[in-house]
Amino acid sequence: MRGANRRAWVVAAIAAAAYAVLSIARHRTFRSTGFDLGLFDQVVWHYARLETPASTYKDLPSILRDHFSPILAALVPFRLAFGTEGLLVAQALLVSAAAIPIFAFARRRIGEWPALAIAVAYLLFGGVQEAVWFDFHEVAFAPVLIALAIERFDAGAHRAAYAASLALLLVKEDLALLVPFIALLFALQGHRRAGVALAAAGIAWFVIVTTFVTADYTDLGGFTDDPLTKARTLAYLFGAFLFLSLRSRIALLAVPLLAVRFLSDNPAYWTLEGHYSLTIAPVLALAAADAMPHPRLAYATAAVAVALTPAFPLAELFRPAAYESKPGYAQAVADIPPGAPVTATNHLAPHLSGRRDVRLLGNGPPTGYVVAALDDPAPAATFPFDGLDELRAFVGELRDGGDQAVGVLGVVVVDEAAADGAVGSEP
C-alpha cells in the first residue's frame, strides 16, 4: 500500500512540476494576461499586506463584491516567496494534488495500477490543461476539495468529507450550488440528516452571498444558444472517460457545474478553453472509476488522455518558441517606477500588478504611467480593444496629449521597432 501511495504522489509531483513550468514559461514570455493573472495577483498582494482585497482592474474596493473567494488569502505565503509566479506554482500544486484522493478512491474499486491510470487520465484531461494554461483562477482550489469530499466519505471519514464540502463555499459563490448535490450523494448512501444540513448550508450560503455580498452573479441565456459548440464540449468531457462517468451516481455532481456554464449567456463558458472545465474534471474521473465494469478500461482512459495531449497546452513544453521572450517587453516594464500607478496592455499588466493602482488599458480612463505593447495582433494582447489598429489609435492620442491623456504621467511603448530591441518612451 505504501508503495502504491508513493507512486501516486510521484505522478502528481511530476504533473505539478510540468504545469508549473508551463504556466511560468507562459508568464515570463509575456503571454499571461491582466485578466486574470494580474487581477488575482493584485488581490493576493493586498492580502499579504493585511489589507482589503481591492481591485483597480475592476475598480472595486473589494474583489469580494465581484466573486466571493476569501480562500485566496491562503496564497499569501506563495506570493511572498515567489511573487506573481507564486500563484502559478500554487495552482499547479493544487490541481495536481487532486490526483491523490482520486487514486485512493479508484484503488478501492479497480486496483492499484488501473487507479494510477485514472489519476493520469485526470492529470492530462484537457480541461485541466486549459485551466492551468490560462493564467490563474480561484477555482484551482476546487478539484482537490471535491475529490477529498468524495474520497473521504467513501473511506468512512465523514467529518473530513463534510469539512471539504463546506470549504468549497470559500472558493467561489457558484460552488455553493454544487454543495447540495454533494449532500444528495451522501444522503443516497444513508446519511440523510447530515445531508439535509449540508444542502441547507449550501443553499443558504448562495442566497446570502449573492444577495448581500457580490454585485452580480451571472447572466442567463438559454440552452439552445450555439448548440453545436455545447455538444462538442459535452462530447469531449464525457468521451475523455469513455462515457463511463454517466453510469455512476457521482455524475449527479456534473449537473450544477454544467448548468451554470450552458445556461449562461457568456460564450466562453461553452467551450473547452479557459478554466471552466476544471471543476468537473475530478467528478468525471471519480465517476468513471466508480462505474468501471472492467479495470482494463482504466488504461484506455489514460491512453485517450495521452493521445489527445498534443491538441492541448502541455504540448507547448516541447515547442522551443514557447520559451522565447518578446524583445523590448521587459525593458518597457522596467521603465515604470516601482509602486507608481500604471495602466498597461493585457500582456504587460500581470508584470506590474504588485501595486495599489494598476489598470488595464481600455478598461476605463488611463491614469498614472501608460505602458503599451503595439506589436502583437492576438486578441488576448489587444483586449479589450477591437483589434490592434484601435489600440494603436488610442495610444497615439495619449502620446499626442489629447483629452484622454489627462492624469497620464508618461507613455512607454513597445511597437514594431521592438523587433530590433528598441523601446519608445515619453516621460
Side-chain angles (χ1 to χ4, degrees):
M1 288 296 183
R2 289 184 179 179
N5 288 333
R6 190 179 300 114
R7 280 186 282 271
W9 280 91
V10 168
V11 168
I14 292 172
Y19 280 133
V21 170
L22 177 72
S23 54
I24 290 173
R26 182 174 183 263
H27 177 62
R28 291 186 179 182
T29 55
F30 291 89
R31 289 180 291 168
S32 60
T33 63
F35 275 80
D36 292 311
L37 177 59
L39 185 155
F40 285 112
D41 183 52
Q42 187 190 36
V43 167
V44 180
W45 181 86
H46 276 295
Y47 276 131
R49 285 156 179 73
L50 303 180
E51 298 171 351
T52 301
S55 174
T56 49
Y57 280 98
K58 291 204 168 187
D59 198 23
L60 290 172
S62 172
I63 196 65
L64 301 178
R65 290 285 294 160
D66 183 47
H67 289 300
F68 193 74
S69 305
I71 201 168
L72 288 171
L75 297 176
V76 165
F78 289 91
R79 181 61 173 76
L80 292 175
F82 304 108
T84 303
E85 292 176 358
L87 274 66
L88 302 176
V89 172
Q91 178 171 253
L93 290 170
L94 286 166
V95 168
S96 300
I100 305 301
I102 288 172
F103 168 79
F105 177 90
R107 185 181 59 188
R108 289 193 286 268
R109 283 158 176 74
I110 56 178
E112 175 186 336
W113 289 104
L116 202 60
I118 286 291
V120 169
Y122 159 77
L123 290 168
L124 295 180
F125 181 65
V128 172
Q129 294 191 46
E130 293 287 353
V132 175
W133 175 250
F134 181 35
D135 293 350
F136 170 89
H137 297 88
E138 69 279 85
V139 294
F141 287 90
V144 68
L145 291 174
I146 293 170
L148 277 172
I150 304 306
E151 189 278 327
R152 287 292 79 198
F153 188 89
D154 185 66
H158 298 149
R159 289 185 179 180
Y162 285 108
S165 302
L166 291 172
L168 286 168
L169 301 178
L170 303 178
V171 176
K172 195 175 180 183
E173 67 280 356
D174 58 3
L175 287 175
L177 298 174
L178 176 64
V179 172
F181 283 80
I182 295 176
L184 173 60
L185 199 61
F186 294 166
L188 290 173
Q189 298 179 67
H191 287 246
R192 295 181 181 178
R193 187 172 299 177
V196 169
L198 181 62
I203 294 170
W205 185 270
F206 179 79
V207 171
I208 292 170
V209 169
T210 57
T211 302
F212 300 106
V213 182
T214 59
D216 188 23
Y217 171 56
T218 188
D219 296 318
L220 297 181
F223 190 77
T224 57
D225 293 339
D226 198 357
L228 185 58
T229 295
K230 294 177 179 179
R232 283 198 300 262
T233 299
L234 283 172
Y236 173 77
L237 292 177
F238 290 100
F241 290 93
L242 309 182
F243 297 95
L244 295 170
S245 305
L246 295 171
R247 303 177 70 245
S248 170
R249 57 188 173 188
I250 294 175
L252 286 170
L253 304 186
V255 173
L257 300 175
L258 293 175
V260 166
R261 291 175 65 179
F262 290 160
L263 293 179
S264 170
D265 65 357
N266 185 347
Y269 288 12
W270 311 337
T271 70
L272 285 174
E273 297 178 359
H275 58 288
Y276 304 109
S277 297
L278 185 57
T279 52
I280 200 174
V283 172
L284 297 173
L286 291 164
D290 183 53
M292 194 160 290
H294 195 287
R296 290 182 180 177
L297 288 174
Y299 301 118
T301 64
V304 168
V306 171
L308 293 179
T309 289
F312 289 105
L314 272 177
E316 290 285 305
L317 288 174
F318 307 98
R319 193 170 68 88
Y323 303 95
E324 297 174 1
S325 190
K326 298 183 177 181
Y329 281 46
Q331 184 59 52
V333 169
D335 283 348
I336 306 301
V342 60
T343 306
T345 46
N346 205 23
H347 280 169
L348 296 173
H351 295 266
L352 294 157
S353 54
R355 61 188 70 211
R356 298 192 184 283
D357 193 346
V358 55
R359 302 169 189 269
L360 187 67
L361 190 65
N363 192 34
T367 61
Y369 290 87
V370 170
V371 55
L374 305 181
D375 64 338
D376 190 346
T382 60
F383 175 84
F385 292 94
D386 187 18
L388 191 56
D389 289 343
E390 184 176 298
L391 170 59
R392 285 174 172 167
F394 187 87
V395 174
E397 291 182 20
L398 293 179
R399 301 185 78 179
D400 292 339
D403 293 339
Q404 297 181 77
V406 175
V408 172
L409 300 176
V411 181
V412 177
V413 173
V414 183
D415 55 24
E416 292 87 349
D420 300 318
V423 179
S425 177
E426 293 186 358

